[in-house]
Amino acid sequence: MSYSTTNPYTGELIKTFPDATDEEVQHSLAAAHEAFLGWKETSFAHRADVLQKAADILRKNKRQYAEILTLEMGKIIGEAEAEVELSAQIMEYYVKNAETLLAPVELPVADPAEGKAKVVHDPLGVLLAIEPWNFPFYQIARILAPQLSAGNTLLLKHASNVPQSAAAFVDIMLEAGLPNGAFQNLYATRHQVETIINDPRVCGVALTGSEGAGAIVSSQAGKAMKKSTLELGGADAFIVLDDAEMDKTVKWAVFGRHWNGGQVCVSSKRMIIQDNVYDEFLTKYTEGVAALKAGDPMDPTTTLAPLSSQGAADEVKEKIAEAVKHGATATEVGTKVPANGAFVQPTILTNVTPDNPAYYWEFFGPVSMILRAKDEADAIAIANDSPFGLGGSVFTADEKRGERVAQQVSTGMMFVNHPTMVKADLPFGGVRNSGFGRELIDLGIKEFVNHKLINIVDIDAPF
């Protein structure tokens, strides 16, 4: 596994980083455990002070950090700045709420005369976070802020193409006053990841990534009797009902599919359009996609980014070709993207049927699958005909109708009149092949704590 920074826009190899040695891994494990023994005893106020300082540092140097994200994985600079801001907001959410979320819970016992019972939430210890390249800072903040707030410490194994992003976040936390060892970045190999999971000082692992990586890591964690959480792929449905406000819906569809270059687990990948508005939607959506401008992601006028690497771009192109081979129609849209750089021409797939394997795939790039639904019930059935269950959305002028449809779609998240979005104050996670467990709000902070019962019983009470 080679850790390196390669500019996706130019293809230039900027810098390489050596893999961690086995000795470095063992030193980091020892340091993380030693840090945990002190960090777990700190007050919520102290932890909040560190996180607030980290949020302040993120905002103070927003442009600097955004440029690192854009350099390493190619997202447009405005979206990179928004990611830095979102990371700061996640920090601040737990600054304000962690102590309340982890407050002891008094239990309503059947006979109060016998004693008192409560559940407390104790930190577990050292955690391993395995994170992807598509949101280099947000993915860290999403696991780091709640788990530090809970009293745990973390080892980070980030994606191999964002090594500078990973190192920068460690520096932010150290500058904010986090003790040495409490959050460390390791340029670990796959073999070393298994070693870390098996180490008795490590109490759990959180992974965001591919289905394949999730299957391997969760299996390793299970064999080691460690808890794991997984946030994997998605093929979010974007349902358009016949009463949707079409122009605004199309605008959201174009954005929902193409932000971050279409490389989002919760991108609007499957457009499911009710039959009597299908042609109108397809025409207007095609026009909207055609207006996207591919180019230098550092240029604020660019609206379509390159993919994260040439390998990622090649994989998307291969999937398009395979979809066509099995009967789909692929229509390239808009001005030709630059020949150099990891670009993929925006493509609309139609005539994709359930006997086409692409019908069930996740396309991680600017590829839109447009599916026709006979009616509302058919739209729901199509939405649920997927191995994934991460997010989704439904567009309608009738909020009650939208809520009714949302309740019938099997996902971890459903939005009415908005593409699936990520916010500091909303939970994140899915079902089926999209993984298990939740991140953010109270659900995330409680994933890796011991919900311990303390029962104070009258000595004369019966057993």
Side-chain angles (χ1 to χ4, degrees), residues 26-39:
Q26 290 303 317
H27 178 270
S28 292
L29 283 164
H33 179 66
E34 184 65 25
F36 168 68
L37 297 179
W39 184 250

Side-chain angles (χ1 to χ4, degrees), residues 32-113:
H33 179 66
E34 184 65 25
F36 168 68
L37 297 179
W39 184 250
K40 70 174 183 173
E41 301 299 334
T42 58
S43 66
F44 282 108
H46 177 73
R47 299 171 196 169
D49 182 63
V50 171
L51 292 186
Q52 185 60 62
K53 288 178 179 175
D56 294 342
I57 293 167
L58 284 163
R59 290 200 176 99
K60 179 182 177 182
N61 304 289
K62 182 184 295 185
R63 179 71 185 200
Q64 171 191 335
Y65 297 132
E67 289 181 354
I68 296 174
L69 306 187
T70 297
L71 172 67
E72 291 205 299
M73 61 73 56
K75 68 177 63 201
I76 59 178
I77 191 65
E79 291 180 354
E81 291 179 338
E83 180 180 341
V84 176
E85 171 60 28
L86 176 59
S87 300
Q89 290 173 6
I90 292 171
M91 297 287 183
E92 289 182 333
Y93 177 87
Y94 288 101
V95 168
K96 298 172 183 175
N97 297 297
E99 185 169 8
T100 299
L101 296 176
L102 293 180
V105 178
E106 300 289 340
L107 300 180
V109 295
D111 185 0

Side-chain angles (χ1 to χ4, degrees), residues 13 17 39 111 189 212 233 240 281 295 343 347 353 382 456:
L13 176 63
F17 299 80
W39 184 250
D111 185 0
T189 65
V240 181
F281 176 88
F343 287 95
T347 302
T353 54
I382 294 170
I456 303 171

Side-chain angles (χ1 to χ4, degrees), residues 25-26 29 126-130 155 157 186 188-207 213-230:
V25 170
Q26 290 303 317
L29 283 164
V126 181
L127 305 176
L128 171 63
I130 303 173
L155 296 173
K157 187 271 177 233
L186 281 169
T189 65
R190 290 185 177 90
H191 173 73
Q192 289 169 340
V193 166
E194 186 170 11
T195 296
I196 294 168
I197 291 173
N198 287 329
D199 191 283
R201 291 165 291 191
V202 173
C203 299
V205 55
L207 176 141
I216 292 170
V217 168
S218 62
S219 175
Q220 293 170 345
K223 289 178 182 178
M225 302 296 288
K226 309 288 177 68
K227 180 175 181 177
S228 63
T229 60
L230 302 178

Side-chain angles (χ1 to χ4, degrees), residues 63 76-79 81 293 295-304:
R63 179 71 185 200
I76 59 178
I77 191 65
E79 291 180 354
E81 291 179 338
K293 177 188 174 185
D296 184 351
M298 292 289 189
D299 182 343
T301 67
T302 296
T303 54
L304 182 66

